[in-house]
Amino acid sequence: MNTIILSAVFGVVLMLSGIFIENKSAFKNIAAVALAILLSLNIAESYGFQIFRINTGVFLHFSKFGFLFNSICLGATLLYTILSGRDIENVGNHVAEYFALIFFVLCGVGIVTAYTNLLMLFIGIEIISIPLYILTGSDKRNLKGNEASLKYFLMGSFSTGIMLMGIALLYGTNGSFSVDRVSREMMPLTYLEALGLILIFVSLSFKVSAAPFHFWTPDVYDGAPTVFTSFMATIVKVAGFAAFIRLFESRYGNMGGQTDRLIAVVIVLTLAFGNLTAVFQQSVKRMLAYSSIAQAGFMMFAVYAVNDAAKEGLLLYAASYCLATIAIFAVLVKMEDYSFEGFNGFAKSEPLLAGVLVVCLLSLAGIPLTSGFLAKYYMLSAAIKTGQVGLLVVLAVLFAAVSVYYYFRVIQAMYFKEGNVVYPAVSVSYKFTLVFIAALIIALGIFPNLLLQFLYF
Amino acid sequence: MIPVLLISIPLLSGLITFFLKNERTIKSWALLSSIATLIVSLFSLGMLSGNGQLQYDAEWLPLLGSRFSVSLDGMGKMITLLTAISFPVIFAATYKNSYSKPGSFYALMLLSQAGLMGVFCAADLLLFYFFWELALIPVYFLSSIWGGEKRIQVTFKFFIYTFLGSLLMLLGILYVYYQTPAHSLAMSQVYHLSFPEGKEGYLFWLFFIAFAIKMPIFPFHTWQPDTYEQAPTAVTMVLSAIMVKMGVFAVIRWLLPMFPEASQNMSHLVILLAVTGMLYASLIAIKQDDMKRLIAYSSIAHIGLMGAAMFTSDPAAMQGVMFQMFAHGINVLGLWITVDVIEKQTGTRKFSELGGLAQKSPTLAILFVTMALANIALPLTNAFIGEFLMFSGLFKYNIWLASVALISIILAAVYTLWMVQKVFYGDAAESKLPVVILPAGTRLMLMILVIVILVFGVFPQPMINLTSDTVTKLIAQIK
């Protein structure tokens, strides 16, 4: 509850402070402090320290999983703000609002990690989505950004409509919005229920850009200002999976193999589209957009399996994916040339940043010693635990091998090719934060319990 | 504690090397560190198996049923000894070579040694996988940064190949994990599992493809000649002296004891592939015009024989494989060192441009010919013992396959002697090649290698005793 209320409050405070504070760079510091407070209060709440004692009853239920998920999102946003705060200032004049919108998104994240009621799911998803439409179009004079924003808004509202339809159908058959395993646990679903569930599934798939509902992703990610792409592709995306998991660990997960096949198809399509298209990209930014689709395919395994290994894996995946992608975007945003050739000879001019990028790319590719490997390992483990996968996991690892191709292109450009990269001077704290992220990725790759212990205490 | 030292000495000194600046300091530091590892490894030889110093076990990933568990048995001691010998030899023999960014070069070399040591010591399946991949990453960077002209594509092909194999193995590991009663990946737990009907065959292939790519066994060998050719020679030495042994080692350590039944069923097919590969590689080797490529193909042929012998489940053959792993490592190391010296001083590796070196540099010629004879497995050289044992097992398994495989020995004589003839004999006056002078370090290392070749050629018993415990245990497990 701390996160939900305080992030909304901080959002409002930041927005209003824009009237009084002239200095643009102050907002970054305010936001960072506010995020640090949010993070510590969220952790405190998982140990039982509540500021607001509100009976949320049938609407929200706070679990350790939800708290840990919030912590990951808040921590990632904190690192994101420290790294890319300066770049957010460069997007436009309304810096206070950008930060305020980010906080509103976090409020939505807090809701979707805790909902037990379909209405709350709807509200949470909307609170996340609406600020994103604005952030996508925040660079007002950029035509591509405007197009992306409009496209995202139209398609997003359409998917919201689909979700509402699904919720309405479920309500119609059950007479309740609750998703908990209370009533009719083992009963087969009626047609209307199944249809409603599929509609919600489609809509959530849209939000996490799972194929075949991913078509908006490359355009929006490419059109949006790069700093906000970073935010959308990481924190917002993994929050969508939290929503997914909560829906499917409820009684709607127990549909006796019917959803399994549907999810399996979505996984394979997502992996195939994401990986195969990423191979042909010439721009690193667009490659990352497709790679985020591919990574979503792997995260879908958690929805497929919905067991303990899946939940642990999703947490680890969320953390490692967010860390790696945020760091790569933080370096990318300062580059002049977003193409692969733009990175030629990067290791010579910026050896430290190149080293950090290598760790991040290896993590995304899933090489041992990085958290990305264990995350993938957990996902595959969860899938195999269900005992009926076979071909699905074989396809998944084949696509993982494909992903090495495009991640390593960046490494090849940086280390093995000659070129001159003019990189702007960066502050010590920026470098320090990047090294910290790389260290965190490796630490989690050796001792995942650093993170997962918070799930069991 | 010994295995932990074997892994951590190169790991830590490698990480330190990244920050060293002076080239001389870096080289001496790397040499010193590798000698320290060698001393630890020699120390382990005196210990009896079951000694507590040869094991180490610690909590690592309780949620995944994996522990940081390392141990050394006879085979482990033998192969870590080979690794520990190879690195100081490589560093000393290539002491005169200079690389751009020497700090990174030697650091990555030491990190790859750490990874290799980890592979050979791991007694836990997931830990093994970790090191299996980790040994690859430094080599990828080494070959891609300091390699030849086509290095980027070639090394990348190598990387993708092995990575794909590893991923398949990962699936196998996950499946095995859920079959163990205690949900554990410890070596003692994954041996002797009973699998559901028909599943063992699939699992066998998931693991075998990963190992076959590494060895490489026909038809998974296509990455190898290009990679050997393009990699800087010091890295080629690591690749062919030690890294390909990872595949052989992994089959003996994991594949055979984990899936004895499937190994038995598949043995015919695997041996057939291996023998085909031997002949195929030998025939191609004859047509090569480049020293590095010739040795690369000859290496495929030798590994093919090991691959075939492993699956005969014959104690003598198995003993031969153990012996030959060590012997081939030593021989091929010597060959690469001479190739490196010749290339550095004459500027070419092509037979068509070389000739008559024996008149100008007789010492080099004597040393090289000894190693070439070991490559053909002539009696009195170490390779003879290993190949003889392997062939005796192969004969017992199937006389026809063994006869076909024997042809490759004749072919080995053809291409090896042809190489000697082209490089060292012929008209010296005609060629305008400079005199090849052996630097002191290189000369010393080559002499040591030649002594090792001859000593084990006439007195193989210590090495056979060293690995006999592993062989006995393995045969008992398979039967």
Side-chain angles (χ1 to χ4, degrees), chain A residues 198-421:
Chain A
I198 288 174
L199 290 179
I200 298 181
F201 177 81
V202 166
S203 161
L204 283 177
S205 300
F206 174 88
K207 294 291 173 201
V208 300
S209 65
F213 314 105
H214 67 285
F215 289 101
W216 60 275
T217 316
D219 290 342
V220 170
Y221 283 8
D222 201 26
T226 311
V227 258
F228 297 134
T229 309
S230 167
F231 184 67
M232 282 194 280
T234 53
I235 293 140
V236 177
K237 174 167 287 199
V238 298
F241 280 100
F244 244 136
I245 275 277
R246 284 201 62 84
L247 184 67
F248 277 80
E249 73 176 341
S250 71
R251 76 191 171 89
Y252 292 123
N254 264 331
M255 301 200 309
Q258 292 303 307
T259 44
D260 286 3
R261 224 162 291 159
L262 179 69
I263 301 175
V265 169
V266 170
I267 290 177
V268 172
L269 283 179
T270 311
L271 287 171
F273 270 121
N275 283 305
L276 296 179
T277 331
V279 166
F280 298 104
Q281 299 309 311
Q282 295 309 319
S283 139
V284 175
K285 191 179 172 185
R286 253 187 119 77
M287 180 277 278
L288 283 171
Y290 282 104
S291 118
S292 87
I293 298 177
Q295 300 280 349
F298 251 99
M299 284 189 260
M300 284 295 276
F301 271 112
V303 185
Y304 177 83
V306 202
N307 46 31
D308 284 348
K311 287 172 83 175
E312 288 165 7
L314 185 63
L315 286 166
L316 198 59
Y317 213 114
S320 61
Y321 169 70
C322 283
L323 287 173
T325 312
I326 285 174
I328 296 174
F329 267 113
V331 176
L332 179 74
V333 73
K334 294 186 196 295
M335 302 281 287
E336 278 179 9
D337 183 359
Y338 282 176
S339 68
F340 282 97
E341 286 75 33
F343 278 88
N344 283 358
F346 190 65
K348 203 164 259 174
S349 52
E350 295 286 339
L352 184 75
L353 298 186
V356 172
L357 280 192
V358 167
V359 173
C360 296
L361 290 163
L362 291 181
S363 177
L364 286 179
I367 307 282
L369 211 69
T370 61
S371 55
F373 165 72
L374 281 179
K376 282 204 169 72
Y377 186 84
Y378 263 106
M379 286 300 173
L380 292 173
S381 169
I384 289 180
K385 201 175 183 179
T386 62
Q388 27 154 358
V389 275
L391 191 62
L392 181 61
V393 284
V394 173
L395 282 173
V397 298
L398 289 182
F399 285 123
V402 172
S403 77
V404 168
Y405 177 80
Y406 51 85
Y407 292 130
F408 272 56
R409 271 181 75 187
V410 183
I411 296 182
Q412 288 175 349
M414 290 193 301
Y415 279 89
F416 314 144
K417 293 189 175 154
E418 300 291 325
N420 265 325
V421 181

